[in-house]
Amino acid sequence: MIQEKRIMVIASYRDPGIIERTAANFRRLWIDLDRLCYRRSGENCIIEMTVSSDNSDNLAYSIYNLSKMVDVERVSILDSDDNILLTYSGGEVLGEGLH
């Protein structure tokens, strides 16, 4: 059985294209998304997306590519209790357990 991975993406919201670009980043590497939920903070123009996907071989590449995308501030891998395991920004690992 393949374990589901949850990823949280924090990005600047300039237009709704950030949602499509995030989904396309996973689809480009043949990763099926089970769920993509988002909420936008109107004051800061920040969007927080939570993506659920199966843990495939290409998922690590997709997370790395996503962290280097324009407008993406950071990408975090979550555990089953929504605790942050690992955080990436600009293709670099920021650390473990950052909020």
Side-chain angles (χ1 to χ4, degrees), residues 3-4 8 15 29 44-45 50 67-68 79 81 84 94-95 97-98:
Q3 183 179 355
E4 181 183 73
M8 182 174 60
D15 59 42
L29 292 171
N44 309 19
C45 291
T50 305
S67 73
K68 291 175 36 176
D79 68 6
D81 296 326
I84 296 174
L94 290 180
L98 297 176

Side-chain angles (χ1 to χ4, degrees), residues 43-91:
E43 299 167 0
N44 309 19
C45 291
I46 299 292
I47 188 167
E48 178 182 310
M49 291 177 269
T50 305
V51 180
S52 297
S53 174
D54 289 339
N55 190 10
S56 73
D57 295 336
N58 291 336
L59 189 59
Y61 297 119
S62 187
I63 291 170
Y64 174 78
N65 290 340
L66 185 60
S67 73
K68 291 175 36 176
M69 249 174 47
V70 174
D71 294 333
V72 172
E73 292 180 19
R74 66 181 182 266
V75 180
S76 299
I77 301 172
L78 305 175
D79 68 6
S80 60
D81 296 326
D82 288 340
N83 296 319
I84 296 174
L85 297 176
L86 199 56
T87 301
Y88 295 85
S89 179

Side-chain angles (χ1 to χ4, degrees), residues 4-43:
E4 181 183 73
K5 281 287 189 183
R6 293 180 37 127
I7 299 122
M8 182 174 60
V9 181
I10 306 294
S12 297
Y13 185 89
R14 289 191 291 168
D15 59 42
I18 187 69
I19 299 163
E20 287 89 5
R21 286 184 287 144
T22 299
N25 176 69
F26 290 98
R27 298 294 299 146
R28 186 177 304 120
L29 292 171
W30 296 93
I31 297 171
D32 288 327
L33 299 180
D34 295 329
R35 179 179 24 215
L36 189 148
C37 302
Y38 68 93
R39 67 178 181 186
R40 185 178 72 148
S41 170
E43 299 167 0

